Amino acid sequence: QVQLVESGGGLVQPGGSLRLSCAASGFTFSTSTMGWYRQAPGNERELVARISSTGGTTTYADSVKGRFTISRDNAKSTVYLQMNSLKPEDTAVYYCKAVSWKVYWGQGTQVTVSS
């Protein structure tokens, strides 16, 4: 069965860093586009970052450019989101998304940026 398991969320102070991981199984990871999305209370789910199957192409939301980095390790079937210089407005539930011949979502992991 397909699984996308996020980890690495938690509470961090403004200016701090966090690395999220998404471990995938049950589908062909190496040919799938992967992405990170987030949703804050009262807001729509929004794209944070996306990475192509080979890792050669990345896309970022304007709000996180220069601060976040998406990467993937196809040998480990894992996608990462390195988050630096975190701001309170980054607080949200972060979701991992896989686009294969179907679309799959992880369960989400909470990131809270607060003093």
Side-chain angles (χ1 to χ4, degrees), residues 3-110:
Q3 283 192 284
L4 294 174
V5 181
E6 300 102 329
S7 62
L11 176 64
V12 65
Q13 293 186 9
S17 296
L18 216 54
R19 188 174 82 153
L20 306 183
S21 298
C22 174
S25 61
F27 65 98
T28 305
F29 180 86
S30 62
T31 59
S32 299
T33 298
M34 302 297 298
W36 287 97
Y37 289 70
R38 68 186 181 188
Q39 187 168 23
N43 291 356
E44 294 185 350
R45 189 171 298 185
E46 65 174 350
L47 173 69
V48 176
R50 183 170 56 225
I51 188 167
S52 62
S53 60
T54 64
T57 303
T58 57
T59 301
Y60 297 93
D62 287 343
S63 59
V64 308
K65 285 180 180 176
R67 300 188 297 120
F68 290 11
T69 303
I70 189 170
S71 61
R72 67 191 294 160
D73 186 339
N74 283 351
K76 296 181 178 180
S77 295
T78 301
V79 63
Y80 306 94
L81 185 67
Q82 179 67 46
M83 304 184 292
N84 298 325
S85 302
L86 283 162
K87 304 174 180 179
E89 49 263 47
D90 295 319
T91 296
V93 177
Y94 284 70
Y95 297 91
C96 180
K97 179 187 179 182
V99 181
S100 184
W101 63 283
K102 288 185 176 181
V103 176
Y104 304 106
W105 291 92
Q107 80 288 350
T109 185
Q110 175 72 226

